[in-house]
Amino acid sequence: MTSPHRLRAIPTEDRAWLTAALADALHGGAPVVPLAPGADADEVAVLQQQELPEGTAVVVRTSGSSGRPKAVALSADALRASAEATAERFGGHGQWLVALPTQLISGLQMLVRSELAGTQPVFFDGRFDAAAFLDRAEALDAERRFVSLVPVQFARLVDLAEQDRAAADALRRFDAVLVGGQTMSVSLRSRAHELGVALRRSYGMTETAGGCVYDGVEIGDTRVRIRGGEVQLAGASLALGYVGDPELTDRVFITEAGRDGVPVRWYRTGDSGELLGGMLTVTGRLDRVIVSGGVNVSLDEVERVVREQPGWSGAVALGAPHPEWGERVSLVVDLDRGAAGERLAFDRVREVLRASLGPAAAPEWVTEMDEVPRLAGGKPDHAAIEAWMGRLRSTFDEARRAGAAVTGDAGARREKDES
């Protein structure tokens, strides 16, 4: 079945149009696809010609950290279910400060929540600066105030709040600070707790219309199970599927009979995790595992341990080819000259990883970048980092070959002279 309405492509810069079109879509109007600045017009035109699942209200384009493009179709019911579940968990609706891209579900969902709450969202624009962000928060005028952030943004706010009492007071003014998108270190959570910040950890994705597990516990009617080590989710907030990719839809959205015989639709997240005491702990991506010397090493687990070390909070772990081990862990970190004196020495980090996760997890190299590339939602762009590392390795290989050639020419000349 297809949607009776043509997909509206709305630039996120036109907030009045986007807000109005989203409200219309939530009430049965034409479906909407929010577009980031510079979106490829040809790709959008192709998307608009695709058949949409019946009931589609919003299409969210996402590439994920692997770089594979996807267009996720979400119904109005799923978006509402997610927003209402958040309000229920937070004790009511409120006003949102939007500091995340509205072409992504993390930012768009704040507009949905605002629509259902009848409140006007406040927007923070430009490169994220903690002091400017808290200044912008002064524009919020509702009694209940919320914000959704990614860990790198939240870490900068905590850094400032620890040094500035007024900043700490402003951060504490939020009734909930929702942080998701990737794993947050235990040390950052502890620091936020000491400041008295109302931190709420969110787990979810575009396919679940945003966060559906807060602080390890399901919200709304969300259900969680672990199958073969994979986190799987069910509930009213699940997406309809992927536009133009029925095979992927059938592979990751599966329907099984429940204990009562009633069919249940599950989303296979591709994340690894475990349920302990009814609380979900996500341990990483199932596809982020390398085999080093015959030992499976989770790159997400490596990052979790590394990011707890002083000065390594933004580190990214990758697999790199190795002539003896097959693959070895390598690290990439931002070149932060201001934190150079605070960063734990690489040799110490290797020792910590060896002690925590075993010898195979000890990284062989660390590489500094001016700035680690990130996706619009704040996650490290693994595809871009891998491409950059590939170019760097090629440069090193060329330099080694050139050096070997020079050494060989010099040796040949010596032999000729001696003869």
Side-chain angles (χ1 to χ4, degrees):
M1 297 294 291
T2 61
S3 170
H5 300 295
R6 187 170 186 268
L7 183 64
R8 290 181 186 172
I10 312 293
T12 56
E13 307 100 299
D14 193 333
R15 286 171 180 157
W17 186 15
L18 177 60
T19 301
L22 179 60
D24 182 53
L26 289 172
H27 292 87
V32 171
V33 55
L35 299 181
D40 188 301
D42 292 336
E43 291 182 2
V44 174
V46 170
L47 179 61
Q48 288 180 303
Q49 298 304 314
Q50 297 284 342
E51 293 185 353
L52 300 180
E54 185 177 8
T56 298
V58 171
V59 174
V60 176
R61 301 166 73 229
T62 175
S63 63
S65 59
S66 66
R68 177 178 181 177
K70 294 181 290 185
V72 182
L74 292 156
S75 69
D77 287 344
L79 291 163
R80 285 198 202 93
S82 174
E84 293 292 359
T86 295
E88 180 184 11
R89 179 58 57 89
F90 288 172
H93 287 286
Q95 189 178 23
W96 288 83
L97 176 55
V98 182
L100 296 174
T102 51
Q103 74 270 15
L104 303 180
I105 193 61
S106 53
L108 189 74
Q109 186 54 260
M110 284 184 272
L111 303 188
V112 176
R113 296 164 187 157
S114 298
E115 170 67 20
L116 298 186
T119 58
Q120 288 295 321
V122 172
F123 294 88
F124 175 82
D125 295 314
R127 187 180 180 87
F128 190 84
D129 176 82
F133 171 85
L134 293 176
D135 285 343
R136 185 60 179 149
E138 294 299 317
L140 295 166
D141 55 14
E143 180 62 27
R144 294 176 58 77
R145 304 175 183 187
F146 306 119
V147 67
S148 181
L149 302 166
V150 293
V152 66
Q153 294 172 325
F154 186 60
R156 292 175 186 172
L157 287 168
V158 171
D159 288 342
L160 178 62
E162 289 176 331
Q163 302 168 16
D164 186 322
R165 183 172 180 177
D169 290 340
L171 191 54
R172 284 191 287 262
R173 181 65 182 83
F174 286 100
D175 293 86
V177 179
L178 197 59
V179 180
Q182 62 188 107
T183 303
M184 191 186 334
S185 69
V186 174
S187 61
L188 181 57
R189 289 156 51 186
S190 298
R191 291 164 61 199
H193 178 73
E194 291 174 2
L195 286 168
V197 179
L199 171 64
R200 297 291 181 269
R201 292 177 292 115
S202 172
Y203 171 69
M205 53 283 299
T206 307
E207 290 86 347
T208 60
C212 59
V213 177
Y214 290 171
D215 297 318
V217 180
E218 307 95 318
I219 65 173
D221 68 352
T222 299
R223 294 167 60 182
V224 179
R225 71 179 187 181
I226 308 296
R227 290 293 184 273
E230 180 184 49
V231 179
Q232 299 184 0
L233 303 167
S237 66
L238 289 194
L240 297 169
Y242 299 103
V243 179
D245 199 337
E247 292 183 2
L248 180 60
T249 299
D250 291 343
R251 187 163 68 250
V252 301
F253 291 95
I254 58 176
T255 300
E256 297 179 357
R259 294 177 180 176
D260 56 2
V262 177
V264 179
R265 188 165 177 259
W266 293 91
Y267 169 60
R268 300 181 57 192
T269 66
D271 291 331
S272 59
E274 54 190 9
L275 285 168
L276 299 174
M279 296 187 66
L280 174 65
T281 298
V282 178
T283 55
R285 292 288 301 173
L286 292 172
D287 57 2
R288 288 261 294 157
V289 175
I290 66 170
V291 180
S292 185
V295 177
N296 289 348
V297 178
S298 167
L299 296 176
D300 291 311
E301 278 292 283
V302 170
E303 288 181 355
R304 178 186 63 79
V305 174
V306 170
R307 289 172 180 174
E308 296 287 349
Q309 311 312 311
W312 293 82
S313 60
V316 177
L318 302 172
H322 190 275
E324 181 181 359
W325 290 66
E327 285 186 287
R328 288 302 302 268
V329 174
S330 65
L331 300 177
V332 177
V333 66
D334 288 302
L335 181 60
D336 187 349
R337 293 176 178 83
E342 303 173 3
R343 182 171 293 160
L344 188 67
F346 177 58
D347 286 345
R348 287 285 299 118
V349 172
R350 295 187 75 227
E351 291 173 10
V352 170
L353 282 166
R354 185 179 290 106
S356 301
L357 303 177
E364 191 81 357
W365 310 276
V366 61
T367 305
E368 291 182 325
M369 301 181 71
D370 287 335
E371 186 174 3
V372 172
R374 295 182 180 276
L375 299 169
K379 292 182 180 179
D381 188 340
H382 291 121
I385 299 171
E386 290 275 13
W388 181 82
M389 288 294 293
R391 292 193 297 271
L392 189 63
R393 283 193 289 267
S394 295
T395 301
F396 288 157
D397 289 343
E398 290 174 6
R400 281 195 293 267
R401 284 194 295 268
V406 170
T407 302
D409 290 343
R413 285 195 296 272
R414 284 195 301 271
E415 290 180 6
K416 182 177 181 180
D417 292 340
E418 290 171 357
S419 64

